[in-house]
Amino acid sequence: MKESSRILRFAIVGTLNALITALVVGLMMHVFGEDYLTANVTAYTIAQINNFIWCKYWIFPLDPVARRNSLWRQILWFCLAFTAAYGAQFLFLLTLVELLGCNEYLAQFLGLFVYGGVNFMSNRLLTFR
């Protein structure tokens, strides 16, 4: 698969994940009255489950034998990639909201781009190489 196709697929799934994240953040903050940090953690966790499935089978597909033999390795590296991407996004979110006084919703949105960049590179280079 061409790298441009892979990036386009990642952008499509990323958009879906952004919608999932936005929906969960909105529900958590407006319907359930949770603070922005709890909403953020919950939303990214739910979106990450969706992301793994799409990454494994559509964005970074492996041949069936390699896919079957590497599931646990992929899950481990995927979790590490998520931790790195989420950590970068979370620090970015805290910096924008707590230090720079940015609107919580705008900071959540901008953080998606930080998360997406780190997540793609981590998964491309480590998880699904």
Side-chain angles (χ1 to χ4, degrees), residues 26 30 34 36-37 44 62 86 91 96 105 121:
H30 287 296
E34 296 293 335
Y36 77 98
L37 296 175
Y44 272 86
L62 299 173
Y86 185 76
L91 290 173
L96 288 182
Y105 294 99
M121 293 307 297

Side-chain angles (χ1 to χ4, degrees), residues 63-84:
D63 64 79
V65 173
R67 185 182 307 140
R68 186 173 49 250
N69 291 336
S70 64
L71 177 64
W72 291 109
R73 182 191 71 77
Q74 288 177 339
I75 289 172
L76 173 66
W77 281 107
F78 196 81
C79 288
L80 292 172
F82 169 72
T83 301

